[in-house]
Amino acid sequence: MAGGPRIDIITLFPELLEPFLKGSVLGAALREGRVDVRVTDLRAYAPDRHRTVDDTPHGGGDGMVLKCEPTVAAIEAVRGPDGRVFALSPRGRVLDQALARELVSERQIVLVCGRYAGLDERILEETGAEELSIGDYVLSGGEAAALVVTEVVTRLVPGVLGNPTSPQRDSFSGGLLEHPLYTRPRVFRGREVPEVLLSGNHAEIERLRRKQSLRLTFERRPDLLERAELCEEDRRFLRELKHERD
Ligand code: ADE
């Protein structure tokens, strides 16, 4: 049984998405039936014999706009009763780990990839599609964004990652950046793995990693500390870091 939402991606370029979906963690999860991701070719819903899916914008402007008829038909064909529809767009709510956790408990998410200039506004009105952005920059189409959303959401489905504790440990899950990682060899060009990591003392290892996470977040993304889950010992260490800095 697949866990997490069924994910439908509507695109003019199914062939762009398929190799990525087949690879790595996501591909294995698909083959094992742990997740259900389907790609729909928007052109199959074009009503005319020329398979037209886009047109020039009324009022002028660059690029092409996805037309209402094929796009709404494709959305209506794949959307189930509880499907939540998103159009990938830089105008949308910006994806973060909190939104990913919200999406993983949906029954179905439908991701509509715009190309060129974007979509006819009435597609959003007619289907109630929300807009979803992956960051404050502009892509040439929604495909790369849809893959990001798919990967971010599906890796939260229980059983998709080998180790069930890894999503909790990831950067952002407790609201902090991840601590540094090390593997063999113990010394590389004179650079040593921190001794504690080799000690087998799990409590000490956790303490070191927590401090490293706090330090990195303090230095690089202090904005995250406002929403992070912090204990008294964390707060004490952060006060020390502030003291060191000032
Ligand atoms: N399409 C173009 N730019 C995008 C972005 N930043 N996020 C999602 N979809 C997009």
Side-chain angles (χ1 to χ4, degrees):
M1 237 305 267
R6 167 172 152 176
I7 300 180
D8 285 273
I9 306 175
I10 298 173
T11 171
L12 281 174
F13 301 96
E15 71 285 357
L16 277 185
L17 304 184
E18 269 145 17
F20 186 89
L21 293 174
K22 282 190 192 136
S24 189
V25 170
L26 191 46
L30 279 166
R31 283 188 294 279
E32 290 161 8
R34 294 185 193 278
V35 294
D36 186 1
V37 182
R38 304 180 195 195
V39 178
T40 295
D41 186 352
L42 178 55
R43 222 170 274 285
Y45 290 87
D48 63 326
R49 110 187 136 75
H50 300 293
R51 299 246 165 256
T52 313
V53 288
D54 53 14
D55 206 341
T56 52
H58 278 310
D62 290 334
M64 301 290 274
V65 178
L66 285 188
K67 288 168 69 67
C68 289
E69 302 91 325
T71 314
V72 171
I75 293 170
E76 289 176 347
V78 303
R79 180 187 214 167
D82 302 314
R84 197 165 158 191
V85 182
F86 294 94
L88 280 318
S89 153
R91 295 197 318 196
R93 174 174 169 190
V94 179
L95 179 68
D96 61 11
Q97 201 62 29
L99 178 55
R101 281 194 290 268
E102 181 185 321
L103 295 181
V104 77
S105 48
E106 294 291 338
R107 291 283 295 276
Q108 183 194 19
I109 60 181
V110 179
L111 303 174
V112 183
C113 303
R115 269 271 143 184
Y116 323 115
L119 298 89
D120 188 307
E121 190 69 18
R122 293 166 295 178
I123 298 167
L124 305 175
E125 294 166 4
E126 183 65 19
T127 62
E130 302 163 63
E131 288 179 279
L132 179 58
S133 168
I134 62 160
D136 292 337
Y137 38 77
V138 183
L139 303 163
S140 301
E143 282 74 16
L147 290 174
V148 168
V149 176
T150 302
E151 179 158 313
V152 167
V153 172
T154 52
R155 68 194 292 289
L156 295 178
V157 174
V160 164
L161 295 182
N163 174 356
T165 65
S166 1
Q168 277 82 54
R169 298 191 60 98
D170 284 339
S171 285
F172 295 121
S173 280
L176 298 178
L177 300 184
E178 198 185 34
H179 52 78
L181 295 167
Y182 301 88
T183 186
R184 275 177 279 262
R186 202 175 60 74
V187 185
F188 174 70
R189 297 188 180 171
R191 298 172 192 275
E192 292 183 18
V193 172
E195 200 58 45
V196 174
L197 299 181
L198 309 168
S199 69
N201 183 336
H202 294 291
E204 278 299 309
I205 291 171
E206 279 310 306
R207 206 164 299 128
L208 172 74
R209 287 180 162 171
R210 185 76 187 171
K211 284 188 167 175
Q212 289 176 323
S213 282
L214 285 163
R215 184 183 286 278
L216 274 178
T217 312
F218 177 79
E219 288 168 358
R220 296 185 187 174
R221 293 291 308 276
D223 57 300
L224 294 177
L225 291 172
E226 281 155 38
R227 278 173 296 137
E229 297 156 26
L230 301 174
C231 66
E232 199 34 57
E233 198 179 331
D234 295 336
R235 291 182 200 286
R236 200 172 321 122
F237 184 61
L238 285 169
R239 281 195 295 274
E240 278 171 39
L241 291 176
K242 272 198 201 109
H243 199 74
E244 235 173 65
R245 184 195 56 193
D246 301 333

